[in-house]
């Protein structure tokens, strides 16, 4: 693996092209509809209320060119008050009623589908087909819409004979029969070979299609035999004429392993590519991305792969790189949007602490609260990469062109003559001139702003004579494309003192007790801070003693480390104890510290 990666990097460096081990996505597979037409980016608004999804379609998703939203399951689910209303209630269906979930009513759901459609955004429903309820702390109803039930008995829908006979947990994951016929974490396993069960499931999906839903994520698809998935697919109606009237888009959650490979399910639709998730998350986490133009081997064809950096399960079970990692994670999601493999699915999370079972922000009755992205509990990380969605749409059909690398954490590539993006997974800015096939002009940097209705609220860059110069921020990106041209009006735009390559005034205020004759200075890893040489440290003023003050202009968006020192009259120096302090200025700032 290591050898192949470095070979790819070396060949790319020598020949100036990327070794594409995996073909880019392009043509539509005949097995199923294309995702979202020419707008393929999906965002998972995990656990959002229907009315919040509708508002997001109008304010953000439509204007930025998102193709679809994956919404959490809309069918009636168990309500587990005794367990604090965990998020996973939704994955235990009680009936296929849309009347009432923790996210709103059927009318709210219909309104959401309509409003998103008006904004040009499709709804993909997370469809739980493999099972009904398990044996949690509450084993009988009512469910969220008022239905009574017990495990294996859902009045008017399913009775005991509609479930597989195994009736125990899957224990041997090497045995395909068990994986598909026994119970996934104790969830009553539907006999999907039965015509009745297939009709019931298709009836539910067709009701959603009738409302205007354009596609589905099949939850736990690996636990349903392929033939059963295909039998359900064959019963589905075509989607609404607004979406072209073709087959619904289907992507299947298949966590590939030694028993079942994701490729096995390709005949029934797209599949989630967990190997991509692992590769990309680890590469960005480790700051080892220079080889990523070619990705790795063992991935399903890009035309059939749904790709993601994290999903709602992995952010809990394998949190390699998640929203808690901040800029580095946003950078990975931005990369995924720029790179021509797979159908990208952006995660949008809520924050939690403590148990991984913790539900979304909710009322005392377990009803989910409306999303407020200004509230720290709603992370809304899709908004951090909203500008990159237009990049994806604009470069559709191009492959990777010119490649540039710096350190192993730095990678830039062209997408034909339509786009150019640079990624910097290191702690320092990456300044360089990039050769590009972009036509001459002024371009909006959509990695640091959005471009909506001709307005760029980020920085802009000038391409002239086949190149542009940029300072790619630490743990940040720069991305230009032909559909977003014009001067930026936001931070970093021309005329703005904060433009890339610019600086911010950083005030250092340190509370330090000294004796007469001693002075306090600040020293750090940047030249402006003396590059850790006490002789070149920046002196501070004692005018407001005991607060020692100075202001230094430091590079924007570049992380730096620093410490305070005391200099004695005889020239000897005393260093603060403890580790280095650090900060990344995104504008003028004052840092208030106490001597340690
Ligand atoms: C999925 N993909 O295959 C979902 O992405 C995943 O989030 C679902 O599990 C799983 N399939 C079943 O739809 C989630 C939670 C589980 C939870 C389950 C059912 O990750 O933890 O199980 O939904 O609500 C819970 C308890 C189990 C218990 C089970 C049945 O955690 O301990 O055995 O309920 O009562
Ligand atoms: Ca099954």
């Amino acid at each position: 693996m290591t050898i192949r990666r470095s070979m790819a990097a070396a060949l790319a460096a020598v020949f100036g092209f990327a070794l594409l081990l995996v073909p880019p996505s392009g043509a539509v597979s005949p097995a199923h509809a294309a995702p979202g037409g020419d707008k393929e980016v999906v965002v998972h608004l995990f656990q959002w209320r229907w009315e919040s999804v509708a508002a997001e379609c109008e304010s953000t998703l439509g204007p930025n060119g998102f193709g679809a939203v994956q919404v959490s399951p809309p069918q009636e689910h168990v309500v587990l008050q005794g367990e604090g209303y965990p998020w996973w209630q939704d994955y235990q269906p009680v009936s296929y009623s849309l009347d009432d979930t923790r996210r709103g009513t059927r009318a709210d759901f219909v309104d959401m589908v309509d409003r998103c459609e008006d904004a040009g955004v499709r709804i993909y429903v997370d469809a739980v087909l493999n099972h009904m309820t398990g044996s949690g702390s509450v084993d009988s109803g009512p469910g969220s819409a008022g239905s009574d039930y017990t495990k294996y008995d859902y009045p008017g829908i399913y009775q005991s004979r509609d479930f597989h006979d195994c009736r125990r947990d899957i224990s041997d994951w090497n045995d395909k029969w068990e994986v598909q016929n026994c119970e996934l974490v104790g969830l009553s396993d539907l006999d999907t070979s039965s015509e009745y069960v297939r009709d019931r499931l298709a009836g539910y999906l067709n009701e959603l299609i009738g409302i205007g839903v354009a596609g589905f994520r099949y939850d736990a698809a690996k636990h349903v035999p392929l033939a059963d998935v295909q039998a359900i697919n064959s019963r589905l109606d075509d989607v609404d004429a607004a979406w072209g009237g073709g087959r619904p888009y289907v992507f299947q959650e298949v966590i590939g392993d030694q028993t079942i490979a994701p490729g096995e399910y390709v005949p029934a639709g797209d599949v989630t590519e967990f190997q991509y998730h692992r590769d990309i998350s680890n590469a960005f986490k480790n700051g080892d991305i220079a080889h990523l133009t070619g990705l790795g081997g063992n991935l399903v064809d890009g035309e059939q792969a749904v790709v993601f950096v994290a999903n709602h399960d992995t952010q809990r079970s394998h949190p390699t790189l998640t929203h808690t990692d901040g800029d580095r994670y946003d950078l990975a999601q931005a990369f995924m949007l720029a790179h021509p493999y797979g159908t990208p699915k952006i995660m949008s999370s809520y924050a939690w602490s403590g148990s991984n079972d913790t539900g979304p922000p909710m009322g005392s009755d377990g009803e989910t609260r409306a999303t407020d992205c200004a509230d720290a509990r709603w992370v809304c990380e899709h908004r951090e990469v909203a500008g990159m969605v237009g990049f994806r749409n604009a470069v559709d059909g191009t492959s990777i062109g010119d490649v540039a690398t710096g350190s192993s954490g730095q990678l830039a590539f062209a997408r034909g003559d339509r786009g150019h993006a640079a990624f910097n997974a290191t702690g320092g800015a990456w300044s360089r001139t990039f050769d590009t096939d972009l036509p001459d002009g002024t371009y909006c940097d959509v990695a640091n702003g959005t471009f909506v209705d001709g307005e760029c609220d980020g920085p802009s860059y000038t391409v002239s004579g086949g190149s542009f110069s940029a300072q790619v921020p630490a743990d940040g990106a720069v991305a230009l494309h032909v559909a977003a041209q014009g001067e930026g009006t936001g931070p970093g735009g021309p005329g703005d003192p904060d433009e890339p390559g610019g600086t911010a005034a950083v005030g250092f205020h340190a509370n330090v007790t000294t004796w007469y004759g001693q002075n306090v200075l600040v020293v750090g890893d940047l030249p402006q801070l003396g590059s850790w040489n006490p002789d070149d440290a920046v002196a501070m003023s004692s005018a407001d003693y005991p607060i020692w003050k100075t202001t230094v202009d430091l590079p924007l968006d570049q992380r730096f480390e620093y410490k305070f020192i005391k200099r004695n009259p005889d020239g000897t120096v005393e260093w603060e104890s403890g580790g280095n302090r650090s900060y990344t200025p995104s504008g003028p700032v004052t840092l208030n510290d106490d001597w340690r």
Side-chain angles (χ1 to χ4, degrees):
M1 190 58 141
T2 314
I3 289 168
R4 184 164 52 204
R5 280 178 175 174
S6 51
M7 275 286 288
L11 284 171
V14 171
F15 298 114
F17 62 81
L19 189 63
L20 269 180
L21 301 178
V22 179
S25 63
V28 174
S29 152
H32 54 90
D38 55 352
K39 295 189 297 176
E40 61 173 359
V41 178
V42 184
V43 56
H44 183 195
L45 297 180
F46 179 54
Q47 299 275 321
W48 284 38
R49 289 187 69 78
W50 310 140
E51 74 249 23
S52 298
V53 173
E56 195 69 2
C57 280
E58 293 167 343
S59 72
T60 304
L61 306 181
N64 283 290
F66 284 83
V69 183
Q70 177 188 324
V71 295
S72 287
Q75 89 295 313
E76 180 175 14
H77 55 75
V78 298
V79 179
L80 303 180
Q81 181 182 15
E83 302 188 35
Y85 308 110
W87 60 268
W88 41 258
Q89 288 184 167
D90 319 44
Y91 291 96
Q92 297 193 33
V94 167
S95 79
Y96 300 120
S97 166
L98 307 176
D99 286 347
D100 200 3
T101 70
R102 70 193 304 173
R103 283 177 287 286
T105 64
R106 188 180 199 282
D108 297 336
F109 183 86
V110 170
D111 184 55
M112 167 190 77
V113 173
D114 288 348
R115 286 166 63 190
C116 288
E117 180 182 307
D118 287 347
V121 183
R122 296 162 199 241
I123 298 296
Y124 295 162
V125 157
D126 194 348
V128 183
L129 309 180
N130 176 63
H131 53 262
M132 296 294 279
T133 67
S135 328
S137 61
V138 179
D139 191 27
S140 63
S144 60
S147 303
D148 286 322
Y149 68 92
T150 54
K151 191 178 177 186
Y152 309 120
D153 185 23
Y154 307 85
I157 309 165
Y158 299 127
Q159 39 190 303
S160 187
R161 64 169 182 229
D162 298 316
F163 292 88
H164 280 138
D165 293 329
C166 178
R167 310 231 170 159
R168 58 170 172 80
D169 261 354
I170 299 163
S171 61
D172 181 359
W173 287 76
N174 293 313
D175 181 339
K176 187 171 176 180
W177 183 89
E178 269 201 38
V179 169
Q180 301 187 324
N181 289 266
C182 299
E183 298 187 347
L184 171 64
V185 293
L187 298 159
S188 51
D189 201 66
L190 281 164
D191 176 7
T192 42
S193 71
S194 129
E195 298 296 310
Y196 174 77
V197 169
R198 291 171 174 180
D199 284 342
R200 237 21 243 237
L201 290 168
Y204 163 53
L205 302 182
N206 280 332
E207 183 187 1
L208 294 166
I209 290 172
I211 290 170
V213 166
F216 303 102
R217 166 194 187 260
Y218 285 175
D219 178 71
K222 173 175 94 176
H223 300 276
V224 179
L226 173 65
D228 299 359
V229 174
Q230 290 175 307
I232 294 163
N233 280 350
S234 71
R235 286 165 163 78
L236 298 186
D237 297 334
D238 282 345
V239 298
D240 198 278
W243 301 124
R247 301 303 292 154
Y249 176 60
V250 167
F251 71 99
Q252 307 160 92
E253 192 225 16
V254 179
I255 307 177
D257 60 12
Q258 69 283 4
T259 311
I260 298 172
E264 180 180 330
Y265 279 77
V266 161
D270 283 3
V271 292
T272 50
E273 185 42 275
F274 279 75
Q275 188 58 43
Y276 177 97
H277 141 73
R278 286 186 286 267
D279 290 350
I280 294 298
S281 298
N282 281 309
F284 275 86
K285 173 131 200 150
N286 300 331
D288 182 21
I289 69 167
H291 62 283
L292 284 180
T293 45
L295 301 179
N298 295 323
L299 301 180
V300 302
D301 190 294
E303 290 169 35
Q304 269 80 48
V306 169
V307 296
F308 52 96
V309 175
N311 73 15
H312 74 281
D313 289 323
T314 67
Q315 69 179 193
R316 291 173 172 75
S317 59
H318 297 94
T320 312
L321 191 66
T322 73
H323 59 280
T324 63
D325 294 294
D327 290 347
R328 186 64 69 85
Y329 161 80
D330 293 337
L331 183 64
Q333 294 215 96
F335 169 86
M336 176 174 76
L337 289 168
H339 188 280
Y341 172 78
T343 295
K345 186 153 78 81
I346 300 295
M347 181 69 201
S348 189
S349 316
Y350 63 82
W352 77 96
S353 55
S355 168
N356 283 340
D357 297 340
T358 307
M362 66 178 95
S364 55
D365 56 356
E367 188 86 355
T368 307
R369 283 210 289 267
T371 299
D372 174 4
C373 289
D375 176 338
R377 285 250 15 230
W378 293 102
V379 184
C380 299
E381 64 262 40
H382 64 286
R383 291 190 179 182
E384 301 301 316
V385 293
M388 290 300 296
V389 175
F391 183 100
R392 177 109 196 161
N393 294 339
V395 304
D396 186 36
T398 68
S399 53
I400 290 182
D402 270 333
V403 175
T405 56
S407 70
S408 62
Q410 296 165 333
L411 172 66
F413 54 83
R415 290 292 306 270
D417 58 0
R418 299 189 56 80
H420 209 112
F423 301 89
N424 179 18
T426 76
W430 181 26
S431 298
R432 90 171 258 168
T433 298
F434 297 98
D435 288 338
T436 184
D437 290 328
L438 283 172
D440 283 2
T442 303
Y443 292 83
C444 182
D445 173 11
V446 294
N448 295 287
T450 61
F451 187 85
V452 172
D453 293 336
E455 282 282 310
C456 173
D457 67 5
S460 48
Y461 288 86
T462 303
V463 172
S464 172
S467 71
F468 67 98
S469 298
Q471 187 179 40
V472 188
D475 288 330
V478 166
L480 318 178
H481 69 85
V482 290
Q485 296 193 52
E487 294 200 343
T489 58
D496 187 315
D498 286 351
E499 75 183 29
T503 57
V506 177
F508 294 91
H509 291 187
N511 188 340
V512 190
T513 307
T514 50
W515 41 265
Y516 188 77
Q518 271 186 321
N519 277 308
V520 178
L521 304 91
V522 58
V523 65
D525 58 354
L526 296 177
Q528 296 90 332
L529 297 173
S531 302
W532 290 125
N533 182 353
D535 292 336
D536 296 324
V538 180
M540 303 179 79
S541 158
S542 62
D544 295 315
Y545 183 84
I547 311 296
W548 294 75
K549 295 182 178 175
T550 190
T551 299
V552 185
D553 284 335
L554 295 179
L556 262 178
D557 296 318
Q558 183 175 337
R559 182 178 179 276
F560 65 90
E561 300 193 345
Y562 67 101
K563 267 192 167 187
F564 298 101
I565 54 177
K566 293 178 186 175
R567 185 183 287 152
N568 299 320
D570 66 358
T572 55
V573 162
E574 244 180 275
W575 289 78
E576 267 192 309
S577 62
N580 296 337
R581 303 174 184 274
S582 68
Y583 191 74
T584 307
S586 54
V589 68
T590 299
L591 305 174
N592 297 298
D593 294 310
D594 290 319
W595 175 268
R596 297 179 309 217

